[in-house]
Amino acid sequence: MKTPLLQFTEKGIYCEQANVYLDPWKNVDKALITHGHADHSRWGNKSYISHFDNIPIMKHRLGDINVSGVNYSESFTINNVKFSFHPAGHIPGSSQIRVEHKGEVWVFTGDYKLQHDGISVPFEPVKCHSFITECTFGLPAFKWRPQDEVFTDINEWWQQNKAEGKTSVLFGYSLGKAQRIIKHLDTSIGKIYTHAAVENLNEVLRQQITLPETLRITKEIDKKEIAGNIIIAPPSAHGTVWLRKFAPFVTATASGWMAFRGARRRRAIDKGFVLSDHCDWQELLTAIKATGCEKVIATHGYADIFSRYLNTLGYDARTEATQYEGENLDAKEESEVNE
């Protein structure tokens, strides 16, 4: 039986012919990395290859690593296997990885979305025979509203809180989601203050994207200066002593999970905004169709349900287990709140 071009192993997604791994979750000699989130980009590999824009993010999070960069659509060959990185639209520097050998083409998406966020290079479909897709939100119930409508709601919420003399606190993951929020805030309402974990990544990402002015919250800052303005913080700052000192405040979370009824209440959040850096149900189907693929491997998310539906459409679809988290933070990412 022919060995698949990409195999799912205990260390990660493996290309035997080139002896490389894609987003491995255990230490390997050579790793190709789709993007900088902690579940896809882990410390301890001997060497890394990623898109040039992702390298500053990786070095910020992983330290002094042996990493080389490539541009989008730039091909390179390892032991007669041709690789290239293509925009995933997930967060700044995020990529899909195209793998070709003897006329067979696979694409590994990592994480991706079709909605253009204004800070990431937009997703580009890549023709292939086999497509490895996340399906974090692979249920028909997930259907995202246009981004501009969501940010209109966010800015109106901030304006209303300010009128009531309250500070707005909006939670979003420190890499990607926080910068997407900041990019679209209406700075005529007030100032944008940031938790250190967010501001550290703002400083890294300002090398490649334009963001409004943000003000780092330090121990020295007078809370009276912050009153009525907005604070962007990672989700793990919720309920902390750090946050309580800014009372009175109103909290909100920007996440795809806010589409679930009761999610805001369970998280003890005052307001929920449905905003995801992953595809909704229809976007997943649109992306898969655009590739022209025949085979689909569904990974993290609602993989079983999604793959079963793909089979009814005529695809050869199956699932594989990974250690990717989707729109959930692992312990390493959560630790940023202590920075």
Side-chain angles (χ1 to χ4, degrees):
M1 185 175 179
K2 181 182 176 183
T3 300
L5 183 55
L6 295 180
Q7 306 170 59
F8 286 75
T9 73
E10 63 176 9
K11 292 184 176 181
I13 300 171
Y14 182 53
C15 179
E16 182 178 359
Q17 177 68 25
N19 192 26
V20 300
Y21 288 83
L22 283 57
D23 290 359
W25 44 83
K26 291 186 179 180
N27 295 351
V28 300
D29 288 343
K30 186 179 287 291
L32 276 57
I33 303 298
T34 60
H35 66 285
H37 279 147
D39 56 332
H40 289 259
S41 177
R42 301 182 187 233
W43 182 85
N45 300 305
K46 289 184 179 179
S47 68
Y48 300 80
I49 300 175
S50 193
H51 187 271
F52 278 115
D53 287 348
N54 191 41
I55 290 177
I57 297 168
M58 292 176 66
K59 287 186 173 180
H60 167 73
R61 308 191 71 184
L62 304 180
D64 185 16
I65 57 173
N66 176 19
V67 57
S68 57
V70 295
N71 290 308
Y72 287 131
S73 300
E74 176 186 349
S75 298
F76 59 97
T77 301
I78 303 173
N79 196 23
N80 295 320
V81 181
K82 184 179 176 182
F83 296 90
S84 54
F85 285 64
H86 302 267
H90 175 53
I91 61 170
S94 62
S95 302
Q96 308 167 77
I97 301 177
R98 181 184 185 273
V99 186
E100 179 180 354
H101 183 58
K102 294 184 178 179
E104 183 180 357
V105 179
W106 289 55
V107 169
F108 170 51
T109 58
D111 289 327
Y112 68 108
K113 69 173 181 292
L114 271 57
Q115 193 174 74
H116 181 33
D117 58 18
I119 61 171
S120 309
V121 178
F123 174 88
E124 293 181 5
V126 180
K127 296 295 183 181
C128 61
H129 302 106
S130 298
F131 190 64
I132 302 174
T133 179
E134 58 132 319
C135 40
T136 303
F137 294 105
L139 289 178
F142 293 110
K143 180 176 175 55
W144 309 146
R145 293 168 59 206
Q147 175 177 274
D148 57 350
E149 294 181 11
V150 177
F151 282 109
T152 294
D153 290 349
I154 288 173
N155 284 311
E156 288 178 352
W157 168 77
W158 179 14
Q159 183 71 68
Q160 179 63 37
N161 295 338
K162 184 175 183 178
E164 296 174 0
K166 298 175 182 177
T167 298
S168 300
V169 180
L170 184 51
F171 299 115
Y173 299 155
S174 54
L175 173 56
K177 182 69 67 64
Q179 291 75 33
R180 183 182 182 186
I181 292 167
I182 290 166
K183 177 72 174 181
H184 297 283
L185 289 175
D186 182 355
T187 55
S188 69
I189 299 172
K191 296 179 180 179
I192 305 168
Y193 286 86
T194 52
H195 183 283
V198 172
E199 192 59 28
N200 289 344
L201 280 157
N202 285 352
E203 292 174 355
V204 173
L205 288 168
R206 285 184 193 276
Q207 300 172 35
Q208 55 186 272
I209 62 176
T210 302
L211 295 172
E213 180 185 20
T214 53
L215 302 168
R216 180 189 294 266
I217 296 175
T218 64
K219 293 178 181 179
E220 294 74 30
I221 204 161
D222 187 343
K223 89 165 204 176
K224 293 179 182 177
E225 295 179 32
I226 298 178
N229 293 300
I230 192 166
I231 297 172
I232 308 301
S236 48
H238 180 47
T240 62
V241 173
W242 177 88
L243 184 61
R244 287 199 290 270
K245 61 188 175 186
F246 303 116
F249 56 77
V250 181
T251 58
T253 289
S255 168
W257 297 116
M258 291 297 106
F260 270 148
R261 183 176 298 176
R264 175 184 58 79
R265 184 181 65 254
R266 286 193 298 273
R267 298 187 185 196
I269 299 291
D270 298 315
K271 181 77 173 178
F273 297 104
V274 181
L275 187 72
S276 177
D277 289 329
H278 299 260
C279 290
D280 65 12
W281 170 266
Q282 189 56 54
E283 288 170 344
L284 288 168
L285 296 175
T286 298
I288 291 168
K289 183 178 181 180
T291 70
C293 68
E294 302 162 357
K295 297 182 178 181
V296 180
I297 300 176
T299 62
H300 50 300
Y302 291 95
D304 290 337
I305 294 171
F306 189 64
S307 63
R308 284 201 299 271
Y309 180 74
L310 289 177
N311 283 318
T312 70
L313 299 180
Y315 292 98
D316 178 4
R318 61 185 175 87
T319 66
E320 286 284 357
T322 68
Q323 292 188 18
Y324 308 134
E325 299 291 332
E327 197 156 308
N328 294 306
L329 293 180
D330 65 10
K332 185 171 184 180
E333 190 134 5
E334 282 285 281
S335 70
E336 286 186 343
V337 76
N338 296 318
E339 292 183 3

